[in-house]
Amino acid sequence: MTGETMTALATATRATDVAAPAARQKLEFRSGNEAAALAARDIGFHVMGYFPITPSTEVAENLSKMRAEGEHEIVMIAGDGEHGAAGICYGAALGGGRVLNATSSQGLLYSLEQLPVQAGTRVPMVLNIAARAVSGPLDIRGDHSDIYYALNTGWVILCARDPQAVYDLNFAAVKIGEHRDVRLPVLIAYDGFFTSHQKRRVQVFDDLEPVRRFLGERPPMPTPLDTGHPATFGPYMNDPDLINNKVQLSQAMEAARCVIPEVLAELEVLTGRAYPVLDAYRMDDAEVATVLLNSAAETAKETADELRVKGEKVGVLSPNVLRPFPADEFRRALRLVKAVTIGDRADSYGAGGGNLSLEVRAAIQIDPQNETQVLSRIYGLGGKDFYGTDAGQFFAQALEAARSGRVGVPFAYHGATAGHPGSGARPGLPPIPAAEVSRGMAKVQRDEATGRLKVELEPLWKMTEMPNRIGPGHGACPGCGAFPTLRQVYNAMEGDVVVLFQTGCAMVVTTGYPSTAHRINYIHNLFQNDAATLSGLVEMYHERVRRGELPQSQDITFVMISGDGGMDIGMGPAIGAANRNHRMMILEYDNQGYMNTGAQLSYSTPFGHRTSTSEVGKFLPGKRYHHKDTAQIFAACHLPYVFTASEGYPEDLMRKVAKAQWYAKNEGLVYGKILSYCPLNWRTADDAAQPVLQAAIDSCFFPLYEIEHGHTTLTYDPDATDRRHPVSDWLKLMGKTRHLLQPANASIVEGIQAETDRRWARLKAMHEHPIL
Ligand SMILES: Cc1ncc(C[n+]2csc(CCOP(=O)(O)OP(=O)(O)O)c2C)c(N)n1
Ligand code: SF4
Ligand SMILES: [Mg+2]
């Protein structure tokens, strides 16, 4: 190492151990998500509102595990979607306690409208973002397209480049947001997967006393819980006042500009780690620089070291604070820099650069002495790795600009490829013509006496000849019930079918680009809005047929396939579509959890069941409330047809699907809930679907019935066949419920039994009643 290199390293302002810390700490090996959860535990938030989404889900999962072991007392509330979760957080924060959330990507976008409300009413809380690409197309890996959407919301935004920073900055976030001059919510952005999942050494507080002193109590703020001082939170406000409200928000952000360095300095005393507002690495004498956010900056630092050894005067700038934007710091840092490449992990399409690039350019533009040449590059989208060689190219381009005094290409995408022009789509199975799958497996007739439909089904063995509208080769787990379910659904359907799959296992494992297992037209949209999407398509179809633009003979059936989770987050639009009674089917395969994201609780998860967000331990016995009765919710929309079914009863299921298709074509919206096996997360054997589903049905936990024009009919009655068993016979078959058989959890089993009996008795009464 040269003398120059050593000096430069010593003056680097990277977050490193800089002083003996005031708080005792211990070394752990943790990921960014674990670090966020540990920080939450150590801060002792009152409430967490959340909704699972990769890659931030582990924050809630880790906290659920810790809660089960009694390591914290945070009240954890799973929202019905991120919009709901953000609302939970806002309400809880208005209540005067400390509040936490964690999300990513579409989750942030789905909650986005809540963010300015919270900033505008000045209600602090902390939101961790494991940054991930925004749809579409759907990509679960990391870039910064989500956090850039939050730039204009009025939240303070801190950037955590590694798990240690995630841990440390959570403490800073609480204190900054609650400062009397700031009173703003704070977002901490760290890179999805690169930081959220990669384990690093993390110093964790071993003595919370100094931490408590650092944080202090949450200062009192106006709250609707103070009934002695009634106040109006969120009044209707027009001109001339709204602009003044925004001035105050702007002033709060300016105050944060002063408060943040103070808090970070206190944090440094506490932890021994420094977080300058703008992290400047080897910038003292740098003539060329690159500007990057978060983990990519750490990669570039290593490249800068290598270039320094070769005598190039290069450095790296990377903000630890994105809002308020450190414009002064950038101006100072770039004053003597001849050329800089600014990398954005998200584009601001049509603006000639991503937000970081635009803002740095704006910052230096007002400095008359600044002559820095700027190159804007978009890199690393959708989780594309950023290696030292990429950083090397950024430096090389800036070095060239510095030498020549001109920028050849001011704006470009870095790392995009032309693909394989002319190679065409990879051949898969050919599309399946309607005639090939219209073999009359189910004949539907209306019974004129009752007005109900009767279905005559071909024997099951004949069904095996039916070509499947889903090709083989999808990536589901062995034993997965989603695909036998879909096979049965398709077997009973005739003609052209257009499907919309909501996000979930069945979607993810069938459409990994550039392949698809779907041999018919398939759509995917965000599952918080899919029913609305399909309803739009249905209406366009009928209108174009009416106008003679499409042939009536085509006669398409429109089917939405959802998981039970999709019927949580997508419930509102589904009810909307049901109330409008579009001619379409909504079929839910219910595997009792959000399986695609790692088995978190859904509202359909039964009481007491273990999921990764309703953990089991000394202090938590699984999910705390009963499963949602989605079929009855849709029944209350007075649809022509509602049914429940299970892949374990194929004939019953196919009969109902045939009826459903008839109603969806002729009358309006149909909803069906189908119990579907998930060996991975039910913790059962791959080949045990039959006994487990049978036990769920025989215990009356999952009754099989249909509601035709408001008339309820049980299609299988375990009482009548003397097959009824207690729910415990079903619970003992699954790993996720085995804990319920311990004597300590007897009251939960009694609770499940009582609720099952109550719902069953109600259904039976409806079945027997001539009107219901
Ligand atoms: C707005 C938004 N929030 C969260 C997610 C993450 N997510 C993808 S699939 C899924 C769960 C789906 O559960 P379910 O509908 O039951 O289908 P399953 O995975 O069980 O088949 C979640 C939470 C997302 N894609 N978008
Ligand atoms: S996790 Fe469950 S639902 Fe998802 S593919 Fe595996 S078995 Fe099927
Ligand atoms: Mg599910």
Side-chain angles (χ1 to χ4, degrees):
M1 197 178 273
T2 64
E4 186 205 57
T5 317
M6 284 170 63
T7 318
L9 274 176
T11 57
T13 51
R14 191 175 184 171
T16 45
D17 298 346
V18 291
R24 200 173 66 238
Q25 297 167 67
K26 60 182 176 203
L27 191 63
E28 300 200 4
F29 193 51
R30 297 292 194 169
S31 69
N33 283 338
E34 287 171 339
L38 290 174
R41 175 199 68 185
D42 295 345
I43 290 164
F45 286 98
H46 291 72
V47 171
M48 177 179 196
Y50 69 95
F51 187 79
I53 181 161
T54 307
S56 57
T57 312
E58 286 178 350
V59 179
E61 288 178 340
N62 280 300
L63 282 165
S64 182
K65 269 193 208 106
M66 288 191 248
R67 171 97 209 215
E69 295 310 323
E71 291 177 34
H72 67 79
E73 293 181 338
I74 303 168
V75 175
M76 297 185 61
I77 307 173
D80 52 343
E82 290 84 356
H83 195 250
I88 290 165
C89 288
Y90 182 52
L94 276 172
R98 286 183 169 145
V99 175
L100 166 77
N101 190 356
T103 190
S104 302
S105 181
Q106 300 314 127
L108 178 62
L109 265 62
Y110 192 35
S111 51
L112 200 66
E113 70 164 22
Q114 188 66 68
L115 270 59
V117 174
Q118 188 143 354
T121 47
R122 310 282 297 279
V123 183
M125 65 165 277
V126 177
L127 170 59
N128 281 273
I129 303 288
R132 160 184 151 184
V134 156
S135 265
L138 191 147
D139 179 317
I140 61 161
R141 295 179 62 213
D143 67 30
H144 298 150
S145 50
D146 53 0
I147 48 177
Y148 278 13
Y149 278 97
L151 290 173
N152 294 333
T153 55
W155 286 49
V156 171
I157 301 180
L158 308 179
C159 298
R161 64 195 57 239
D162 54 31
Q164 182 69 67
V166 174
Y167 183 77
D168 292 341
L169 293 181
N170 264 275
F171 296 90
V174 172
K175 196 163 167 106
I176 293 164
E178 291 175 1
H179 191 284
R180 55 193 286 277
D181 298 337
V182 179
R183 288 199 180 168
L184 285 176
V186 182
L187 186 158
I188 300 159
Y190 52 95
D191 289 352
F193 291 109
F194 302 114
T195 304
S196 65
H197 281 63
Q198 286 185 15
K199 296 211 183 216
R200 292 274 187 279
R201 282 180 296 177
V202 178
Q203 294 283 352
V204 176
F205 293 121
D206 199 19
D207 170 15
L208 289 182
E209 210 28 61
V211 182
R212 300 262 173 270
R213 282 200 298 278
F214 168 82
L215 291 175
E217 292 294 315
R218 189 185 198 261
M221 293 172 212
T223 167
L225 299 183
D226 180 1
T227 51
H229 299 89
T232 298
F233 296 83
Y236 165 58
M237 186 189 285
N238 263 343
D239 167 70
D241 300 305
L242 187 91
I243 193 167
N244 298 329
N245 169 277
K246 297 308 166 203
V247 167
Q248 289 179 351
L249 178 49
S250 165
Q251 286 166 346
M253 197 54 92
E254 287 310 309
R257 211 180 276 291
C258 307
V259 168
I260 289 170
E262 287 167 21
V263 172
L264 293 174
E266 278 184 65
L267 184 75
E268 182 180 337
V269 173
L270 187 74
T271 64
R273 289 177 291 279
Y275 293 92
V277 167
L278 178 61
D279 183 287
Y281 185 70
R282 309 196 75 164
M283 286 298 300
D284 288 350
D285 61 345
E287 292 178 354
V288 156
T290 187
V291 179
L292 292 161
L293 270 191
N294 279 353
S295 59
E298 298 306 292
T299 305
K301 286 175 182 176
E302 288 179 19
T303 310
D305 289 344
E306 289 163 16
L307 288 169
R308 282 274 175 179
V309 173
K310 292 179 186 159
E312 303 285 10
K313 291 186 174 172
V314 298
V316 181
L317 290 171
S318 160
N320 284 318
V321 180
L322 205 52
R323 282 291 180 273
F325 189 71
D328 280 343
E329 288 79 356
F330 269 112
R331 263 192 295 279
R332 278 198 297 275
L334 289 172
R335 182 156 288 169
L336 301 176
V337 169
K338 291 181 182 158
V340 59
T341 304
I342 306 172
D344 275 285
R345 221 169 193 143
D347 196 358
S348 177
Y349 301 99
N355 291 89
L356 182 61
S357 163
L358 299 177
E359 296 192 17
V360 173
R361 279 197 252 162
I364 57 177
Q365 182 265 335
I366 59 168
D367 178 1
Q369 288 172 25
N370 186 287
E371 292 180 355
T372 312
Q373 307 272 357
V374 179
L375 298 89
S376 299
R377 296 292 179 264
I378 307 295
Y379 74 99
L381 301 192
K384 192 171 175 57
D385 287 316
F386 184 78
Y387 296 112
T389 47
D390 298 299
Q393 288 174 36
F394 278 19
F395 281 123
Q397 289 164 5
L399 282 163
E400 173 52 29
R403 271 179 209 124
S404 65
R406 56 178 287 277
V407 173
V409 183
F411 168 71
Y413 272 60
H414 172 84
T417 61
H420 305 286
S423 63
R426 220 165 59 189
L429 286 174
I432 200 155
E436 222 183 294
V437 281
S438 304
R439 301 191 180 186
M441 291 292 153
K443 292 194 184 60
V444 184
Q445 271 185 328
R446 189 193 276 276
D447 181 334
E448 295 307 331
T450 61
R452 299 191 201 162
L453 299 181
K454 283 205 307 206
V455 180
E456 215 178 290
L457 214 57
E458 290 292 322
L460 281 185
W461 61 264
K462 273 204 173 177
M463 306 273 187
T464 53
E465 294 167 6
M466 281 282 287
N468 196 351
R469 289 177 177 91
I470 295 187
H474 53 71
C477 312
C480 175
F483 292 93
T485 298
L486 288 170
R487 175 84 166 125
Q488 292 171 23
V489 166
Y490 283 149
N491 274 351
M493 293 186 75
E494 296 274 296
D496 278 311
V497 175
V498 170
V499 278
L500 181 149
F501 273 50
Q502 304 228 91
T503 316
C505 279
M507 171 260 162
V508 167
V509 303
T510 51
T511 60
Y513 182 82
S515 308
T516 179
H518 298 277
R519 300 178 67 192
I520 55 175
N521 274 324
Y522 162 99
I523 311 163
H524 169 256
N525 184 18
L526 307 168
F527 61 170
Q528 54 274 33
N529 215 12
D530 273 334
T533 306
L534 194 62
S535 73
L537 185 68
V538 168
E539 293 312 313
M540 180 55 86
Y541 166 68
H542 291 298
E543 181 56 15
R544 291 195 64 198
V545 169
R546 193 187 67 80
R547 292 184 188 203
E549 294 171 5
L550 290 175
Q552 195 147 27
S553 55
Q554 210 177 340
D555 196 16
I556 303 173
T557 308
F558 295 89
V559 185
M560 177 172 123
I561 304 291
S562 174
D564 47 307
M567 281 294 106
D568 287 343
I569 190 168
M571 192 61 163
I575 296 280
N579 287 329
R580 296 190 301 269
N581 202 26
H582 300 278
R583 279 177 272 168
M584 58 188 260
M585 294 161 67
I586 297 180
L587 300 184
E588 172 192 331
Y589 64 97
D590 174 7
N591 51 23
Q592 305 185 331
Y594 304 162
M595 300 317 184
N596 172 54
T597 37
Q600 297 82 27
L601 73 84
S602 79
Y603 289 6
S604 290
T605 302
F607 181 38
H609 286 220
R610 179 201 282 265
T611 71
S612 61
T613 47
S614 58
E615 276 292 355
V616 174
K618 269 192 286 222
F619 295 81
L620 267 191
K623 188 175 173 237
R624 285 183 303 166
Y625 48 95
H626 286 290
H627 59 293
K628 162 161 127 185
D629 198 342
T630 322
Q632 289 296 315
I633 294 174
F634 279 97
C637 296
H638 301 284
L639 300 178
Y641 190 57
V642 172
F643 70 88
T644 65
S646 165
E647 51 153 325
Y649 277 73
E651 291 188 35
D652 179 69
L653 188 154
M654 288 189 277
R655 249 191 211 100
K656 288 170 177 170
V657 169
K659 279 190 182 187
Q661 184 176 24
W662 191 95
Y663 279 118
K665 275 184 173 179
N666 296 293
E667 293 196 5
L669 197 137
V670 166
Y671 166 81
K673 186 176 183 79
I674 306 171
L675 185 64
S676 170
Y677 191 56
C678 172
L680 186 75
N681 291 318
W682 292 6
R683 305 181 190 208
T684 43
D686 297 349
D687 58 359
Q690 201 281 329
V692 176
L693 295 172
Q694 185 75 51
I697 292 161
D698 281 343
S699 67
C700 297
F701 170 81
F702 194 92
L704 301 181
Y705 65 98
E706 61 187 359
I707 306 170
E708 218 169 335
H709 290 134
H711 294 279
T712 305
T713 310
L714 292 171
T715 55
Y716 173 70
D717 182 352
D719 284 336
T721 50
D722 222 13
R723 291 187 61 125
R724 184 147 179 211
H725 299 293
V727 287
S728 52
D729 282 3
W730 163 55
L731 300 173
K732 72 181 176 208
L733 298 180
M734 296 176 289
K736 67 167 178 162
T737 44
R738 215 149 278 151
H739 63 283
L740 294 178
L741 304 175
Q742 290 161 8
N745 290 325
S747 64
I748 296 177
V749 178
E750 280 162 25
I752 301 172
Q753 186 67 62
E755 183 63 10
T756 299
D757 292 347
R758 190 187 69 77
R759 293 189 193 186
W760 172 249
R762 215 175 144 265
L763 268 180
K764 228 172 165 178
M766 290 197 274
H767 168 78
E768 282 155 10
H769 198 282
I771 293 178
L772 304 176

